[in-house]
Amino acid sequence: MSNTLDLKGIIPPVVTLLNRDKTIDEPAMKQHINELIESGVDGLFFLGTGGEFAQVPIHLRKQTAEIAVRETAGRVPVLIGTGTAGYEETKELSLHAQHAGADALVIINPYYWNVSEDHLFSYYQSLADSVTLPIVLYNFPGATGQDLTPDFTVRLASGIPSIIGIKETVDEAGHIREMIIKTKEVRPEFKVFSGFDDHLLNTLTLGGDGAISAGVNFAPELQVGIYNAYLQKDFETAVHLHRKLAYIPLMYKLDTPFVNVIKEAMLIRGKAIQPHVFGPGETLTDKTRGELKDLLAKAGLLSSAVR
């Protein structure tokens, strides 16, 4: 079982860049992948929430996974999100990601149903038995309607060795704290990543391993800077950058789904992309775009020329 992957640090959930006709903009994807790697990230996660996984048709999910592995070319670990609302498609996408050459899978718990813990354990056990790749759990109760509690995650971590970590997309430091303490008591090597940008620093101070959060797409210098400063015990710099990072969750509140905000922020900061998103999202209005510029400026992420 290939479960020894040592994930850590900053692993952005990469946006899925599109042409106007909702095909994959492969040249823009390649450029973005290379720019993220050059910015110092520690891995790349494709087809998460920031990658619009729930809206991307399955054939495009497979194409994105193939582009991701091919362009990254082993420079950093590639994680592919393969979760769906049900088992069969999740297994299909997981086997495809493995065949494509991914380094790990990120699998959100099934949404729509509130699944019993016994069924949920069997779900992950069956997926783990079907692939040889390590699996990172994806806990996003605000979207799925069901929390992967620390106690249940301990059960998964204890019973399924190929489950190596969790992405904690919860806006509660207490939940993250308990997740770190309880999982690392049974498996010290188990990885806990914050899913919201502004929980990176407290996750690190509590003994967690980094962040898998979307703001890195347009402001990698903040989270990469915080992580590196923390490792170097330069806490003054870490706190300074953390206060800038605090504006990013305010940006996400400008619209729902907020992937359009991420893409527009990339565009405003000079990325050569198109801001198209899959439905039910739409591109930002001029008014909201202006509000986004104001927040980017407050976070120190705009030059005076762009303002």
Side-chain angles (χ1 to χ4, degrees):
M1 185 73 67
S2 177
N3 55 17
T4 58
L5 184 65
D6 184 25
L7 296 176
K8 58 187 176 182
I10 306 303
I11 305 174
V14 182
V15 290
T16 304
L17 296 172
L18 304 173
N19 297 306
R20 184 178 294 277
D21 63 0
K22 306 303 170 68
T23 56
I24 303 297
D25 186 345
E26 188 165 345
M29 285 292 295
K30 290 179 176 179
Q31 182 173 340
H32 187 41
I33 287 167
N34 286 306
E35 288 174 350
L36 285 170
I37 293 172
E38 288 165 8
S39 75
V41 299
D42 301 285
L44 295 170
F45 168 36
F46 297 85
L47 298 163
T49 301
E52 300 174 81
F53 80 93
Q55 289 78 49
V56 180
I58 281 192
H59 72 284
L60 293 184
R61 289 182 71 162
K62 291 179 177 179
Q63 182 187 353
T64 300
E66 292 163 7
I67 292 169
V69 172
R70 186 167 60 244
E71 189 61 26
T72 303
R75 288 174 288 172
V76 297
V78 170
L79 287 65
I80 301 295
T82 59
T84 70
Y87 176 78
E88 300 302 334
E89 286 187 345
T90 301
K91 179 180 176 181
E92 177 185 343
L93 288 168
S94 297
L95 288 169
H96 175 269
Q98 177 172 293
H99 180 74
D103 295 292
L105 307 174
V106 181
I107 305 181
I108 200 163
N109 44 308
Y111 35 94
Y112 185 77
W113 288 108
N114 198 306
V115 183
S116 75
E117 288 193 352
D118 285 345
H119 289 327
L120 197 52
F121 187 91
S122 296
Y123 174 83
Y124 279 111
Q125 180 71 72
S126 296
L127 289 169
D129 290 343
S130 300
V131 296
T132 59
L133 291 179
I135 293 169
V136 176
L137 304 170
Y138 185 176
N139 187 30
F140 192 0
T144 65
Q146 183 171 5
D147 181 30
L148 296 179
T149 66
D151 287 338
F152 180 64
T153 303
V154 166
R155 181 181 170 191
L156 289 170
S158 300
I160 307 175
S162 61
I163 293 180
I164 64 167
I166 188 166
K167 168 176 156 64
E168 272 270 84
T169 306
V170 293
D171 199 15
E172 302 170 36
H175 194 291
I176 298 168
R177 178 193 65 235
E178 189 175 344
M179 184 68 73
I180 292 167
I181 290 171
K182 289 189 172 182
T183 57
K184 288 181 181 288
E185 280 180 351
V186 297
R187 278 179 62 186
E189 76 282 6
F190 193 83
K191 306 296 183 178
V192 179
F193 295 89
S194 61
F196 286 121
D197 300 77
D198 58 326
H199 281 285
L200 166 59
L201 189 54
N202 67 275
T203 297
L204 293 173
T205 60
L206 290 167
D209 300 279
I212 304 177
S213 45
V216 183
N217 283 285
F218 61 87
E221 65 269 34
L222 295 184
Q223 292 192 49
V224 172
I226 289 169
Y227 183 68
N228 289 336
Y230 183 83
L231 292 181
Q232 295 160 14
K233 302 188 186 306
D234 180 1
F235 302 122
E236 184 177 351
T237 296
V239 170
H240 172 71
L241 293 174
H242 175 70
R243 289 174 180 168
K244 290 187 172 186
L245 191 67
Y247 286 96
I248 289 181
L250 299 179
M251 299 176 198
Y252 297 158
K253 290 183 177 181
L254 293 174
D255 204 2
T256 304
F258 60 76
V259 180
N260 54 0
V261 173
I262 299 167
K263 292 183 179 181
E264 197 66 49
M266 292 169 64
L267 195 61
I268 291 169
R269 294 205 75 204
K271 297 278 190 182
I273 69 159
Q274 302 178 67
H276 307 302
V277 293
F278 285 105
E282 297 178 356
T283 54
L284 290 186
T285 64
D286 288 342
K287 176 179 180 294
T288 308
R289 190 177 295 112
E291 293 171 345
L292 175 58
K293 278 188 177 182
D294 288 342
L295 287 170
L296 287 167
K298 289 177 180 178
L301 295 172
L302 285 190
S303 66
S304 56
V306 175
R307 294 181 218 176

